[in-house]
Amino acid sequence: MEGLLLAALVVASNFEGGSVGKVEQVAANHLRCAVKGQADANHRNRQANWYFFRIDGLKREPVRIDFTELSGEYNFKPGSHAVTAGTRPVYSYDRKTWRHFADDQVTWDEAATVLTVRFRPEGDQVWIAHTQPYLREDLQRLLELRHPHLSVSTIARSAHGREVPLLTITDAAAGERDKRSIWVMARQHAWETGTSYVADGLVRFLLSNAEAARRLRRENVFQVIPIFDTDGVAEGAVRFNVNGYDNNRNWDTADAEKTPEIFAVRRALEQAGRIDLFLALHNTESADYVDGPADAVAAELVRGLRAGTDFLDAASPRAVTPRESIDPGRMTVNQYLYYQQKVRAYLMELRVERHPALGRPRTAADFSSFGAGLARSLAAAVSGTGGKP
Ligand SMILES: [Zn+2]
């Protein structure tokens, strides 16, 4: 009996951001790990692309892990699955250095909808996740940066009572009168860790001593929300807040009880005064794009992104969805701000699967350096505006 216990691989997810579904040990070095997934308040739109767990008891022998229960639906269309043949999970032996599984370590069974990774462990314990985690402890390090041009406030309190921090970056000595106001919001969807790395990189660049950063601080006020769905990030959720509401729908129907995060941020935006440009950051598995009012500012933003980052899409900016084709309760933040508040608001998607120009998936470092280029592109895009679309 003792021998059997010693042979067991132990899977745990009882830590910040952790998530795994039912786990079966098929053989000594073979696990089947269901992906827990998350459905909305009406048990629809299940999305299964966040897993973050630790395996203990590894030996230096090849291990096989099958990821199962991947099917769900998206925008009420059943049968979709976010995890696909292109998915490359990440792993770490110390929770500091994360790497993607290589192409020859990953196989995909289309008929069974199962992703399998095979690897030879380099330690007796490994962490595995869909993308490199960005947790509240990572945000805390950002909040603790001491800089005279950074101030931190709380823009919302989550359904479970957690604070949603807002970082304001500007050179107060430069005077407020002609400054552009730029908002960047990340992580409405908890699984989209890359967006928090973009926001983190943007903030670190803006607070740097680079002459370009000093100038951007003099000319702009940057308002940055690195983690919008703080409950989802802490509790290992995928897409919906803890009450089952999508933080990037429901902006037209926000409610203090069901969607307290949207409700509070929406009110803060209504009271924010001038907003020259608002950008919501998202991740997809397989596409980059910018969506919003296709004016000269958008054109300049996309031009800057193409010149100064690894942004991919040739078709951006994509036109904002017409008002009349948005169903009640389905408004995204950028649609709401644009149609209801006449704010120039965009959504940007950045892919997590293999980036063709890089020849590999974007790493956390790639997302972080994207943030620096994004800061410059946003500022350049609004430098010629009078403040209204
Ligand atoms: Zn998203």
Side-chain angles (χ1 to χ4, degrees):
M1 207 50 210
E2 199 182 8
L4 276 177
L5 285 173
L6 286 172
L9 298 175
V10 179
V11 177
S13 63
N14 57 340
F15 44 82
E16 168 108 359
S19 179
V20 71
K22 185 172 173 242
V23 174
E24 289 171 78
Q25 185 159 358
V26 181
N29 291 312
H30 180 188
L31 294 171
R32 284 176 73 79
C33 295
V35 175
K36 198 170 171 185
Q38 189 187 18
D40 67 18
N42 298 314
H43 313 290
R44 298 293 306 269
N45 295 312
R46 177 179 187 266
Q47 188 168 318
N49 62 338
W50 181 248
Y51 41 86
F52 177 24
F53 55 83
R54 188 184 68 231
I55 307 174
D56 288 290
L58 294 165
K59 292 185 241 4
R60 308 291 170 105
E61 296 165 4
V63 171
R64 169 180 173 173
I65 301 168
D66 300 330
F67 294 88
T68 66
E69 296 185 20
L70 301 173
S71 291
E73 57 179 11
Y74 183 70
N75 283 340
F76 298 99
K77 291 188 191 72
S80 69
H81 48 87
V83 171
T84 68
T87 300
R88 298 291 176 267
V90 294
Y91 64 94
S92 175
Y93 294 99
D94 59 6
R95 288 190 55 169
K96 293 189 185 85
T97 302
W98 291 84
R99 282 171 285 175
H100 288 93
F101 283 108
D103 291 348
D104 64 4
Q105 294 177 301
V106 181
T107 52
W108 171 252
D109 181 338
E110 179 73 31
T113 321
V114 172
L115 186 83
T116 295
V117 297
R118 291 179 176 84
F119 64 104
R120 185 181 287 273
E122 294 166 26
D124 57 8
Q125 182 178 64
V126 69
W127 282 264
I128 293 176
H130 187 59
T131 56
Q132 182 171 333
Y134 185 101
L135 304 171
R136 291 180 306 152
E137 66 203 47
D138 299 296
L139 174 55
Q140 193 56 38
R141 280 193 284 278
L142 202 57
L143 302 182
E144 286 167 3
L145 292 175
R146 296 275 181 270
H147 195 289
H149 298 168
L150 168 68
S151 61
V152 177
S153 56
T154 298
I155 193 167
R157 205 166 274 279
S158 70
H160 283 177
R162 295 183 176 95
E163 291 179 355
V164 179
L166 170 71
L167 288 76
T168 303
I169 298 164
T170 194
D171 179 351
E176 300 302 310
R177 201 164 56 88
D178 297 320
K179 281 182 182 170
R180 307 287 186 256
S181 167
I182 298 170
W183 284 73
V184 176
M185 192 163 95
R187 212 72 177 279
Q188 282 169 281
H189 298 136
W191 81 268
E192 297 167 6
T193 65
T195 67
S196 288
Y197 282 106
V198 172
D200 189 294
L202 176 139
V203 168
R204 287 176 190 277
F205 169 72
L206 286 172
L207 295 178
S208 73
N209 287 324
E211 181 44 41
R214 293 168 186 269
R215 184 174 53 78
L216 296 190
R217 299 198 299 265
R218 285 194 299 271
E219 295 175 355
N220 304 280
V221 180
F222 282 88
Q223 307 280 14
V224 185
I225 304 174
I227 294 180
F228 182 96
D229 185 9
T230 183
D231 286 346
V233 169
E235 298 176 27
V238 184
R239 185 183 182 86
F240 306 105
N241 80 351
V242 293
N243 297 324
Y245 291 88
D246 188 327
N247 282 319
N248 202 32
R249 305 288 185 270
N250 300 295
W251 279 73
D252 50 332
T253 51
D255 168 314
E257 206 173 306
K258 294 178 182 135
T259 54
E261 302 88 357
I262 299 176
F263 192 77
V265 173
R266 200 178 71 173
R267 188 166 51 195
L269 288 164
E270 280 163 6
Q271 296 169 354
R274 172 177 178 167
I275 299 176
D276 292 272
L277 196 160
F278 178 97
L279 180 68
L281 298 173
H282 290 266
N283 284 132
T284 66
E285 304 297 333
S286 59
D288 280 12
Y289 61 89
V290 168
D291 167 328
D295 61 6
V297 169
E300 181 58 25
L301 172 62
V302 170
R303 195 202 59 74
L305 291 172
R306 288 199 191 108
T309 72
D310 59 21
F311 183 73
L312 266 177
D313 186 39
S316 290
R318 302 187 187 186
V320 62
T321 307
R323 175 78 182 87
E324 58 277 13
S325 52
I326 303 168
D327 291 333
R330 302 294 292 168
M331 244 188 197
T332 65
V333 59
N334 56 304
Q335 291 164 353
Y336 176 82
L337 290 175
Y338 181 62
Y339 289 120
Q340 304 296 116
Q341 291 195 40
K342 306 290 176 233
V343 169
R344 184 182 288 109
Y346 299 93
L347 168 145
M348 183 163 69
E349 296 280 4
L350 295 174
R351 66 192 282 155
V352 300
E353 288 180 4
R354 184 177 179 279
H355 184 293
L358 297 174
R360 55 173 171 73
R362 284 180 172 122
T363 62
D366 293 324
F367 282 118
S368 183
S369 62
F370 190 101
L374 176 61
R376 287 188 287 254
S377 304
L378 289 165
V382 297
S383 63
T385 66
K388 289 285 172 190

